[in-house]
Amino acid sequence: MSGPGTAPTRLGPQAAHRGLRRFRAPTPPAPERCELCGVVLAEHNHRHLVDTKRRALACACTPCALLFDRPGSGGGQFRTVPARYLVDPGHTLDDAAWDLLQIPVGVAFFLHNADLDRLVALYPSPAGATESELDPSTWQTVLGASRLSALLEPDVEALLLRRFEGRIDCYLVPVDVCYELVGRMRLLWQGFDGGAEARAALADFFAKVARRAREPKEDDRP
């Protein structure tokens, strides 16, 4: 320690090296925790809840997620995001139907917000999830062309559409993967059309969705 009239303290080589290393070493990220009970989350027990009041996702462990698996559990504020992926290869959506949606990009997802009691349509953009409100008649005319629309669970599932190379793919997916896609596109987006890296990530995302998706069965509840 130094002060008026005293010589400044000189650090030895090893002490100086340790001091500099504190500035160079990256701080390890804090582990993700369940936002309900605080337990550290791992990949095998990391689930998501939809906070219907805040319109936000919350991380949860598997036991906490099971508490909100049924609609109305815990007062209805939280809903567990399910894990099912469905595909409708027999839908009748075409380019004319897509034009009615007035979505400026080739990907969009649609969910029913129970609290607002209306459809919410969103699509990825450089700014994140961009919302485009649709009137009920458009919902019935366009998205009613897929049987998946009748199976959609409010708040926690989304109808995911992609127009690509002359066709339209139609999936029912957990809503959290849609927001994951939005975040990925926001991170990678370059230029007017997103750029090569964003397009590659988009192709990889839909390849994974296609591998997980199955056609609806009789026991898929509406």
Side-chain angles (χ1 to χ4, degrees):
M1 189 170 181
S2 62
T6 64
T9 303
R10 296 185 179 275
L11 296 176
Q14 291 184 344
H17 177 71
R18 287 195 299 269
L20 291 173
R21 189 169 55 191
R22 288 202 306 270
F23 293 99
R24 292 201 307 265
T27 303
E32 288 193 277
R33 295 181 177 273
C34 174
E35 295 183 42
L36 276 71
C37 72
V39 68
V40 174
L41 297 173
E43 185 176 352
H44 70 277
N45 76 331
H46 192 156
R47 300 288 301 275
H48 286 117
L49 306 174
V50 172
D51 185 333
T52 60
K53 302 301 182 185
R54 295 173 52 235
R55 295 181 64 187
L57 291 173
C59 296
C61 63
T62 299
C64 286
L66 292 175
L67 296 175
F68 302 97
D69 199 34
R70 295 180 178 274
S73 301
Q77 179 175 353
F78 293 102
R79 291 283 313 278
T80 301
V81 177
R84 67 176 178 172
Y85 289 71
L86 303 178
V87 62
D88 181 11
H91 69 79
T92 58
L93 290 160
D94 55 17
D95 286 341
W98 185 274
D99 291 339
L100 288 176
L101 296 175
Q102 300 180 11
I103 300 294
V105 296
V107 176
F109 61 98
F110 307 84
L111 60 109
H112 187 269
N113 185 295
D115 190 50
L116 299 177
D117 192 25
R118 67 172 175 87
L119 174 70
V120 179
L122 304 110
Y123 56 90
S125 76
T130 300
E131 183 172 340
S132 175
E133 295 184 12
L134 296 178
D135 58 74
S137 62
T138 303
W139 164 252
Q140 294 298 330
T141 300
V142 178
L143 302 185
S146 170
R147 55 180 171 162
L148 297 181
S149 60
L151 303 177
L152 199 62
E153 290 283 346
D155 298 316
V156 293
E157 291 183 322
L159 201 63
L160 177 65
L161 303 181
R162 184 192 188 195
R163 180 164 68 170
F164 181 68
E165 294 185 345
R167 72 175 190 273
I168 296 176
D169 295 322
C170 181
Y171 299 98
L172 185 151
V173 299
V175 72
D176 55 357
V177 304
C178 294
Y179 288 109
E180 177 186 336
L181 173 63
V182 166
R184 186 73 174 153
M185 290 297 100
R186 184 179 184 182
L187 179 66
L188 298 177
W189 196 287
Q190 293 183 348
F192 177 75
D193 63 352
E197 192 174 2
R199 291 194 296 270
L202 188 65
D204 181 65
F205 172 84
F206 274 94
K208 291 178 180 177
V209 169
R211 286 195 296 268
R212 299 189 64 173
R214 59 173 176 81
E215 294 192 38
K217 299 183 296 187
E218 290 294 329
D219 59 350
D220 283 304
R221 61 186 181 183

